[in-house]
């Protein structure tokens, strides 16, 4: 086993770990966004949890965040403007990363 092979394996392991944390943070952000939107829509309890899951699953439509944005913008039309949704998406990503990082350590 050469030093190069060891470094390559370490790099691959770090890449996989980082990708896993990124996926978890995005899913957490989407759940948090769903809970935020559910509150605005007047949902609570199981109905709010179910709605939050629809936001999480909306992220599987295409790569990137636009699918989640479209879901929220459509559901919150007339109640929250696009700029506020995008700001909340950024805020919730910061919070989700913090939560996932704290759970990983």
């Amino acid at each position: 086993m050469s030093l190069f092979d060891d470094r390559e394996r370490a790099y691959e392991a770090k890449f996989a770990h980082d990708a896993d944390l990124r996926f978890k943070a995005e899913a957490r952000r989407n759940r948090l966004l769903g809970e935020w939107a559910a509150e605005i829509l007047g949902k609570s309890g199981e109905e709010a949890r179910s709605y939050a899951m629809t936001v999480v699953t909306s992220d599987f439509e295409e790569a990137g965040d636009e699918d989640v944005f479209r879901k929220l913008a459509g559901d919150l039309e007339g109640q929250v403007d696009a700029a506020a949704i995008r700001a909340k998406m950024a805020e919730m990503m910061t919070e989700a990363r913090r939560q996932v990082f704290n759970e990983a350590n």
Side-chain angles (χ1 to χ4, degrees):
M1 197 67 47
S2 73
L3 180 59
F4 179 75
D5 291 336
D6 290 343
R7 286 180 136 184
E8 185 177 18
R9 270 196 210 86
Y11 178 77
E12 289 171 356
K14 181 180 179 343
F15 181 82
H17 177 71
D18 290 350
D20 183 52
L21 289 179
R22 191 170 38 257
F23 175 80
K24 287 178 181 177
E26 288 174 2
R28 177 76 53 93
R29 183 228 23 215
N30 294 339
R31 183 180 56 80
L32 293 170
L33 285 167
E35 292 170 355
W36 167 75
E39 186 176 328
I40 292 169
L41 295 169
K43 299 177 186 295
S44 62
E46 186 56 40
E47 187 180 23
R49 282 186 288 282
S50 179
Y51 176 79
M53 289 310 299
T54 68
V55 175
V56 171
T57 58
S58 74
D59 194 24
F60 301 133
E61 292 175 17
E62 64 186 48
D65 295 334
E66 287 306 303
D67 44 4
V68 174
F69 173 77
R70 278 193 308 273
K71 165 82 173 136
L72 292 169
D75 292 349
L76 298 174
E77 188 172 357
Q79 295 177 299
V80 180
D81 67 12
I85 293 170
R86 290 198 187 277
K88 187 56 92 167
M89 289 176 77
E91 176 188 334
M92 291 300 181
M93 182 53 103
T94 300
E95 175 61 20
R97 284 181 179 148
R98 185 191 63 73
Q99 289 179 10
V100 169
F101 179 78
N102 287 342
E103 290 170 3
N105 291 324

